Amino acid sequence: MNQKHIYTLAIISLSLFLTACGDPEEVQLKTEGVYIYHEGGFGSNNATIGTYNPENYEYNPDLYRGQNGGFIGDVQQNILVDGNNDRIYSVLNGSNAIDLMTLNLKSEDKIRFAQLDKPRDIAVNGNLAFISNWGPYNENFTLTNSEIFVVDLNTNELIESIPVQEYPEHLYIQNNRLIVGHSNFDGSISEISIINIDNLEIENTIEMPAGPMEIIEDQNNNVWIVCTSGSIVKLSTSLSGIANQIDHENGILGDIDYFEGSIYFFSNDEIFSLNTSDNNVSSTGINVEMETPYAFAVDPASGDFYLGDALDYASEGLVLRYSFNGELEDTFQSGIIPTQFSFNVGRK
């Protein structure tokens, strides 16, 4: 299972204690901080991470740089919060590296080896990391040798390579299987691969609507995938096919999030919800005009919506925060191309 948010150890311990004691008291959560990840300009080596305090509305653009003395690298493609190992992994597509940080954004090490070429995403299972890697372009600017790299996190060394369909993107792990989305620019490649982690072999390939991107899991352990062409797909529990496909009337931003029984997504300047019990799609009534919609997330404690506007891809972008009820809470300038959010959640 992949994780986007940071939950303190105290919350996990308290939850286990209350469960063991049979105490029905619900633990009240609050978000203590929001990490905002920025791609930076292509080739400019200026990707960065800032932090936002939702209580006092203060944004600090320099947390990563203050901890580490510089920018994180070139083109921050994706991040993974691994609470089990107290780490954040930043996939640096332009730097051909993975930055390994503490939960406080202190860089400790990097995964870097010669074969790493345009990495896209990372998933972690125990002491193994799986990295989707585009590989080199040929003379026609087409990928020909994409792979999933398997890395031993004890040494950060490459131990296995799995050849896959070109353009591997988002990764997700469930039931000892690695789900790999594949999506190219014109939609001619649009599928997911299911890889058995025990033997590192591809078990199944499933055709998808065009543009499969973020992969998430609901509270009933169902896996959902958003497709930017305008569909949200639920996989079967065996991960052998599509259990349900919900087609929306417009294209969908490639980020979705789950909150209290519904999947939330952004489409055509509006936030929508998909009820995972009856598959009903409805508008939240929250309309958001952005120049270049680029990132979307839901605060797992408050239900607030966070959106990133990349503007012209060269200027510092904007972050917009809306309450769950639709009030515009804040708008502020962040870094170049805000691409992802994660939430530091603690107990009230």
Side-chain angles (χ1 to χ4, degrees), residues 42-115:
F42 179 76
S44 299
N45 207 45
N46 60 356
T48 190
I49 306 171
T51 184
Y52 173 73
N53 186 323
E55 293 191 355
N56 62 20
Y57 299 86
E58 290 184 356
Y59 174 67
N60 175 10
D62 299 319
L63 182 60
Y64 181 89
R65 280 180 283 174
Q67 289 265 52
N68 302 286
F71 291 102
I72 191 169
D74 189 30
V75 187
Q76 187 166 216
Q77 187 73 36
N78 259 309
I79 66 99
L80 169 68
V81 176
D82 180 11
N84 294 326
N85 294 310
D86 295 328
R87 270 184 171 171
I88 297 176
Y89 301 84
S90 171
V91 179
L92 300 169
N93 177 269
S95 299
N96 293 323
I98 314 293
D99 195 298
L100 281 60
M101 296 171 276
T102 67
L103 298 183
N104 293 320
L105 303 185
K106 178 64 176 176
S107 181
E108 292 187 321
D109 205 349
K110 278 187 168 60
I111 297 173
R112 181 179 275 141
F113 44 85
Q115 298 93 326

Side-chain angles (χ1 to χ4, degrees), residues 10 20 42 76 112 145-146 168 209 221 225 227 233 238 244 252 255 261 302 328 340:
F42 179 76
Q76 187 166 216
R112 181 179 275 141
N145 188 30
S146 295
N221 305 122
I225 304 172
C227 300
V233 170
S238 61
N244 214 326
I252 301 174
D255 295 337
S302 68
L328 178 60
Q340 205 164 338

